[in-house]
Amino acid sequence: MDETETPAAPYCGRFAPSPTGPLHAGSLLSAICSYLEARRHTGRWLVRIDDIDPPRQLPGASDAILRSLDAHGLQPDAAVTFQSSRREQHLAALAELQAEGHLFDCGCSRSDLRAHGRPGPNGPLYPGTCRNGLPPGRQPRTLRLRVNQESDSFDDQFQGPIRTCLAETIGDFIVRRTDGLPSYHLAAAVDDGAGDISHVVRGHDLLWCTPPQRLIQRHLGLTSPLYAHLPVLVDTRGYKLSKQQGAAPLDDRQPGENLWLALQRLQQSPPADLRRASVDTLWQWAKTHWQPERLRGLARVTETDGPA
Ligand code: GLU
C-alpha cells in the first residue's frame, strides 16, 4: 500500500451511514473495511449518522443501525455524531461560499435538467441556464456551486490515481436543495474536512462524489482527507445492494456468520472453520490477517463471491 500521501495527522476514519433503513450486507462491507483500516493504523474509528435528508429517512433507522454495529462488534472510539446537529456549520459554509462568489441561485427543476442537460457519467450536466443570473420569470429553487475548468487528481488507496475534469463529470452542482437543506456534498465535505477525519473509506459508488467534495473543501480552505473507495456489493443481476432497493437487513442474531461472509467478500479468505466462530474470534483473525491490497482496482463484488 502506498503510504506516501498519509497526512501527518493521526489516523482517524469514519463510517457514515444514512438512516434510510437498517444496515445490510453491502453497508457492512464499508463499516468493516473502514474499521479495519483504522485498526491497521492504530487509529480511531468514528461513526457519524448522516441524517440530513428527512424525507428519505426511516423512523428508528438510526437506532437499528447502531444496534447492528454493536452486535457485530463495531464499537466507535467516541460518541456517535449526527450530521443534523451540525446545521450551523453547514449554513456557515454556504454563507462563506456565497460571499466568495462560488454560488448562484438556480431556478431549474429536475425535468429542466433532463430536457436541456448534456448527458454526463453521473446524470445530466447542468446546462448553465441560471449561471449568469436567473432568467426573467424564474424563481430561485436551489443554490449551485459554479464549476469552472477545475480538474482534480488524487490517489485513491484502492482505486489508484483518479483524475477528473469536473465540468465534464459533474458540472455546476447543488449545495442547497429546493427544501433549503444543505446537500449531501456540502455536508459531507464540511464534516469530513473539519479536521478530525484523516481517511474516508467508503463504497465505490461514491467515488464520483469525491472531486466535488474536495472542491468544496478547497474553496473553504479545509484539509481534504485521503480517500479509499472499496468495491460495492452487487446482486447476481449486477445491482448494488441498497436500502432503497429493499436489501435484506442484517440478521443481528448471526453476527459471526455475517462477518465471515463480509470478510470473504472483501477478498480476505477467512478459514472455513471460522464460519461458526464468535464475533471476538473473527475480529481477532481479521485484525491480524487484514490485507487491504487485495481490494485494489475492484469496483464491485458479487453476493455469490461468498462460499459455494
Ligand atoms: N451517508 C452516505 C450513505 O450512506 C455515505 C456517506 C459517505 O461515506 O461519504 O450512502
Side-chain angles (χ1 to χ4, degrees):
M1 196 85 355
D2 180 7
E3 302 287 352
T4 51
E5 273 204 82
T6 304
Y11 191 108
C12 184
R14 79 348 176 235
F15 173 57
S18 303
T20 48
L23 281 191
H24 53 76
S27 32
L28 184 63
L29 296 192
S30 296
I32 291 181
C33 190
S34 57
Y35 178 83
L36 283 170
E37 275 300 276
R39 290 293 172 261
R40 181 169 77 92
H41 289 88
T42 48
R44 298 194 319 140
W45 183 74
L46 307 181
V47 172
R48 180 182 81 212
I49 300 284
D50 284 357
D51 55 345
I52 45 154
D53 194 357
R56 286 180 54 230
Q57 279 158 216
L58 276 192
S62 299
D63 287 343
I65 289 172
L66 296 174
R67 262 199 316 275
S68 217
L69 288 174
D70 194 57
H72 288 80
L74 286 155
Q75 281 94 20
D77 296 313
V80 172
T81 56
F82 290 81
Q83 241 181 359
S84 58
S85 69
R86 306 235 329 136
R87 185 67 40 80
E88 242 173 72
Q89 286 86 340
H90 301 154
L91 295 179
L94 281 173
E96 186 176 335
L97 292 169
Q98 185 136 41
E100 308 230 322
H102 294 300
L103 309 187
F104 63 89
D105 280 319
C106 177
C108 298
S109 62
R110 273 175 209 220
S111 53
D112 291 330
L113 219 68
R114 276 196 297 273
H116 303 294
R118 259 188 309 132
N122 308 298
L125 294 171
Y126 184 67
T129 319
C130 308
R131 225 176 180 239
N132 300 313
L134 284 171
R138 284 266 174 135
Q139 295 305 313
R141 296 165 61 93
T142 58
L143 271 177
R144 282 182 189 269
L145 189 139
R146 200 182 297 279
V147 168
N148 297 317
Q149 285 312 309
E150 285 99 354
S151 62
D152 188 27
S153 28
F154 61 96
D155 252 329
D156 189 273
Q157 189 192 332
F158 297 147
Q159 305 302 329
I162 305 289
R163 191 173 165 77
T164 337
C165 169
L166 273 83
E168 292 305 315
T169 49
I170 317 284
D172 302 333
F173 59 89
I174 293 178
V175 286
R176 196 185 70 202
R177 312 173 346 167
T178 320
D179 55 12
L181 294 173
S183 70
Y184 158 64
H185 284 322
L186 189 281
V190 170
D191 294 350
D192 288 335
D196 48 348
I197 305 296
S198 67
H199 288 72
V200 167
V201 176
R202 60 185 177 189
H204 186 273
D205 54 319
L206 297 174
L207 180 58
W208 71 277
C209 300
T210 298
Q213 293 175 11
R214 280 167 46 90
L215 179 62
I216 294 173
Q217 287 159 348
R218 277 202 299 285
H219 284 328
L220 293 171
L222 303 174
T223 305
S224 294
L226 299 184
Y227 289 87
H229 291 87
L230 67 132
V232 292
L233 185 60
V234 298
D235 63 19
T236 45
R237 298 164 308 158
Y239 291 112
K240 174 185 171 264
L241 262 71
S242 72
K243 297 170 222 173
Q244 290 79 12
Q245 301 289 331
L250 281 177
D251 184 348
D252 291 343
R253 292 164 309 179
Q254 47 165 50
E257 172 92 12
N258 297 337
L259 284 177
W260 189 93
L261 258 179
L263 289 165
Q264 176 80 0
R265 288 165 176 158
L266 289 168
Q267 318 291 306
Q268 302 300 308
S269 312
D273 60 357
L274 287 191
R275 190 147 187 196
R276 310 260 170 256
S278 69
V279 168
D280 283 352
T281 307
L282 274 155
W283 277 121
Q284 242 165 38
W285 182 88
K287 285 178 196 167
T288 45
H289 292 83
W290 175 235
Q291 295 187 64
E293 60 281 2
R294 292 191 173 183
L295 296 174
R296 277 221 160 169
L298 279 182
R300 46 176 54 199
V301 289
T302 309
E303 274 184 299
T304 49
D305 284 348

